[in-house]
Amino acid sequence: MDSMFYQNISLESPKPFPYLNNVHAEVSNRTLPIALQYLEESRNGIAFEVSKIDDVQDVIALLDAGADHVRVTDVQAKQISAVDNIDQKRVVLAQESSKNVVPAEKLTPQTSAQHLLAGAVSDRPDGLFSTLVVDERGIALGLVYSNLESLTESFKTGRGVYHSRRRGLWYKGDTSGDVQELISVSLDCDSDCLFFKVRQKGRGFCHLERSTCFGEYRGLSRLEKTLKSRKESAPPGSYTARLFNDRDLLNAKIKEEATELCEATKKDHIAFEAADLMYFAMTKCIAEGVDLADVERVLDNKDKKVKRRRGDAKPAFLQTNDGKSNGRASLNGNREKSETIKEAASVPKDQDDAAGVDRKGMIKMTRYTKSRDSTATITEALKRPSQRSTDMIMGIVKPIIDEVRAGGDKALLKYTHKFEKATSLTSPVLRAPFPVHLMQLPEDTIAAIDTSFANIRTFHAAQRESKPLEVETMPGVRCSRFSRPIERVGLYVPGGTAVLPSTALMLGVPAMVAGCKKIVLASPPRSDGSITPEIVYIAHKIGAESIVLAGGAQAVAALAYGTESTSKVDKILGPGNQFVTAGKMLVSNDTTAGVSIDMPAGPSEVLVVADKTSVPAFVASDLLSQAEHGVDSQVVCIAIGMNDEQVTAIESELHRQATALPRMDIVRGAIEHSVTICVDTVEEAMDMSNQYAPEHLILQCDNAEGASKLVENAGSVFIGPWTPESVGDYSAGVNHSLPTYGYARQYSGVNLSSYVKHITASRLTKEGLRNVSGAVMKLAEVEELEAHRRAVEIRLAHMDA
């Protein structure tokens, strides 16, 4: 190849020689920069004829940049032999080279294929060449066949094109879309097998939609494929999405894992910490568009490096405040000076990930003892997994809400297409009467929903006020209070990792009992645009006007402001992720929206109070029932007066049950930041519970009724061994829409009063006005509100006229 020819070729169509190994080029002083450019851009091997280069340091620069070989003069060879770190096998005397060199400008796709196959020998009677196809990293994807015609087409199109023994010329991926970009073609050591290196697109090479014909990727290749998929599909606000979008968080995790790797000493611990560091380092690569092949190419080129760095580390990483070298100071930065935020664990990356697992491989909550660990330690352990900062969330949510408010249905559909992948939807609303075929359910599911519906209705109907409150505060002054239903309510039913018809029941039945005239549900649709039939059936039973087919902040905006298809509501109720909660808070603070909300709500949580009378299997099952909600959930067990053997029995049972759960990976993510705290007395346990203010409080201890009298802060309490939290979630009758994240100190869970407003009334007789007039006029005078005072004075004068 002429170096000037490389500089002048068009990049609009593929050229044959970039796909060939053993490219040779003559380099002079004038074309040296072009040669270095080729080494930077090319992924294939090249040898340079450098006899026309005057300075041997320029030759060394070519070797250092990755040239496979240089063909040199005798004088150059002697000069290079005196240089350290150079593999002399990469230095060849020009006269010793017997390579037949074909000018690159004379190469065409066909002549390239002819030259490559000129020395090849097929071992098949049909003349086809066995062809091993590998990815950028050299991992085998599959075995196919090639001939001169297919090889020519590969060079012409820059794609993987092969010969099918049944169909002839085979353009890989034309039907499935799983095409291949050609990187290089070469022969094996015996010249009887072609070696295609490609960049595989789509689902994979295999017709079974797997990465390779030999099974799925493993190790780093599997991690790379998983991360690329998660980058495209991670739900907004999820931990994975945050890692890709929040550089500060990702950089902090990389520094954290690097520190822990530095501190590891045992073989299994080092392997574990190295795997974690590789995971987050690979996440950064994928976030920035860097492939594993790019990293490995740099590693391979390092092996060719001639110029070496000094064998030391940067000073900032060597010195701590006391001058000793431990590599720790710079990794931590100002960690001690800034607030430490406890991050939610990610969903375990694979079966070898240690999230929520101790050194022995048990799924286990961290254990603390009140009498041994400091108050500060326990307080820190009880911190909920952090949510993204309010400013950051609002920065994401507000533009979405503003766009839906201004753009209506069009904007709402845009976000549903984007986040839920329901691109087939043409309307964002499903209106009543709902089609029967959308409510097709098994009879036992219908029976379960109907039973829960009846119990929830009974409990909430009992909360109705039998009659208005009326009292005479002084003779002739009667005050009363009566309730009226909120006219229009919007009920948010989350989607995400679990189908939640129970939430539709808990929100919808009280709205129906209260007599709300307009009930609008909102729930994210499935990717095919449909809503789960359970939710449609419940919407029908409660008399809902419509179902908004959207989730997140965009659904909140549609309910708050209305769109062409969505009715505006007066109050929004229902749980959701950080973005739903932020959206609810934002619209409730907008006076132009004229909408209120039920409460701030976050990830689910439970606190179980247990003692030696508790059944370990019961305690473990209650903890896991909340841990399976999501990786940002938190579960807490407070063990009263239990010895090590008794606590271990609960831990063993938790591990046994968790490993049998279909959502075990999610459970492990939640267990990573969940704790067991050992205390001596029930008073200590209840004091700790009241400080924590759990969403769900389960009392599985001796005299649970007595312990319930000590409850000050909790969303809902479950008393005794026969009251699992799940009965409250579904069918007992109490509501499961409850305050989380410590808001049980200020808020109640959803109940009938959440759907009504109380209106007060006053009715005075002449006598009553005379009796109260003195106090009214005096206070109005004190506040200097003369019109208030005169409203009473004028009436008194009228009486006396």
Side-chain angles (χ1 to χ4, degrees), residues 253-550:
K253 291 300 296 181
I254 292 172
K255 292 175 182 178
E256 175 187 326
E257 300 302 340
T259 301
E260 292 178 355
L261 177 59
C262 292
E263 294 172 347
T265 55
K266 296 182 179 179
K267 180 179 179 181
D268 58 343
H269 191 193
I270 292 171
F272 164 69
E273 298 298 350
D276 260 4
L277 179 58
M278 288 178 186
Y279 174 84
F280 289 105
M282 199 67 218
T283 300
K284 177 151 190 170
C285 288
I286 300 303
E288 301 297 336
V290 176
D291 291 337
L292 196 53
D294 298 325
V295 176
E296 291 188 335
R297 186 165 59 255
V298 172
L299 290 172
D300 291 340
N301 286 340
K302 283 181 180 292
D303 187 53
K304 297 179 181 179
K305 283 287 182 184
V306 176
K307 302 171 183 177
R308 305 293 186 185
R309 288 179 54 181
R310 291 173 57 191
D312 57 10
K314 295 179 180 179
F317 288 86
L318 287 171
Q319 298 299 322
T320 60
N321 293 333
D322 60 3
K324 295 180 180 178
S325 174
N326 63 9
R328 183 79 181 259
S330 202
L331 287 173
N332 285 341
N334 296 322
R335 184 187 304 176
E336 290 78 17
K337 297 180 181 179
S338 61
E339 180 183 3
T340 300
I341 298 178
K342 188 175 178 184
E343 288 293 339
S346 63
V347 175
K349 280 70 77 174
D350 56 43
Q351 63 180 359
D352 298 321
D353 179 24
V357 177
D358 70 2
R359 299 294 181 203
K360 296 180 180 179
M362 281 189 66
I363 299 174
K364 182 179 178 183
M365 294 152 59
T366 306
R367 191 194 301 186
Y368 297 89
T369 301
K370 188 175 184 297
S371 60
R372 185 179 65 230
D373 295 302
S374 69
T375 300
T377 298
I378 292 177
T379 300
E380 179 68 22
L382 285 172
K383 281 185 178 178
R384 270 85 169 176
S386 76
Q387 307 297 292
R388 192 180 289 189
S389 74
T390 302
D391 289 344
M392 189 176 296
I393 295 177
M394 289 301 182
I396 296 170
V397 167
K398 191 175 186 304
I400 295 174
I401 289 179
D402 290 344
E403 187 172 350
V404 173
R405 182 181 187 180
D409 284 351
K410 182 178 179 181
L412 188 58
L413 274 173
K414 167 190 167 182
Y415 285 110
T416 299
H417 292 169
K418 178 179 180 180
F419 294 136
E420 317 306 335
K421 312 301 180 186
T423 53
S424 61
L425 274 182
T426 57
S427 171
V429 171
L430 179 65
R431 292 194 172 280
F434 305 112
V436 174
H437 72 273
L438 297 181
M439 298 184 277
Q440 297 296 320
L441 291 166
E443 288 300 321
D444 56 349
T445 301
I446 291 175
I449 291 174
D450 289 349
T451 297
S452 301
F453 180 94
N455 288 349
I456 297 167
R457 180 176 57 186
T458 298
F459 181 67
H460 288 79
Q463 298 172 34
R464 286 196 191 108
E465 297 173 4
S466 57
K467 61 180 181 179
L469 171 69
E470 189 167 326
V471 63
E472 186 174 60
T473 57
M474 64 191 311
V477 180
R478 300 194 68 81
C479 298
S480 63
R481 188 189 75 171
F482 55 91
S483 62
R484 294 289 185 268
I486 296 172
E487 183 178 354
R488 304 170 299 183
V489 293
L491 313 179
Y492 186 86
V493 180
T497 60
V499 179
L500 298 173
S502 59
T503 299
L505 282 168
M506 295 294 176
L507 297 173
V509 175
M512 179 193 71
V513 171
C516 299
K517 295 178 181 178
K518 184 172 288 187
I519 301 173
V520 181
L521 268 65
S523 189
R526 295 180 288 198
S527 59
D528 64 359
S530 66
I531 288 285
T532 57
E534 293 88 350
I535 290 177
V536 181
Y537 177 64
I538 293 166
H540 165 70
K541 284 184 71 72
I542 64 174
E545 173 199 80
S546 59
I547 303 174
V548 180
L549 307 176

Side-chain angles (χ1 to χ4, degrees), residues 174-222:
D174 262 6
T175 302
S176 65
D178 303 327
V179 298
Q180 299 169 340
E181 292 179 7
L182 185 61
I183 296 175
S184 67
V185 183
S186 58
L187 288 165
D188 73 342
C189 60
D190 292 327
S191 297
D192 61 1
C193 177
L194 283 170
F195 188 79
F196 266 62
K197 182 177 286 189
V198 301
R199 185 179 296 104
Q200 180 68 52
K201 301 293 186 179
R203 296 160 296 182
F205 181 94
C206 182
H207 71 286
L208 298 178
E209 299 181 4
R210 298 187 304 192
S211 301
T212 83
C213 289
F214 312 110
E216 283 295 348
Y217 279 142
R218 297 180 67 249
L220 291 176
S221 292
R222 181 174 180 177

Side-chain angles (χ1 to χ4, degrees), residues 630-644:
V631 296
D632 50 1
S633 295
Q634 185 177 44
V635 299
V636 177
C637 178
I638 301 183
I640 304 171
M642 298 174 72
N643 59 34
D644 181 71

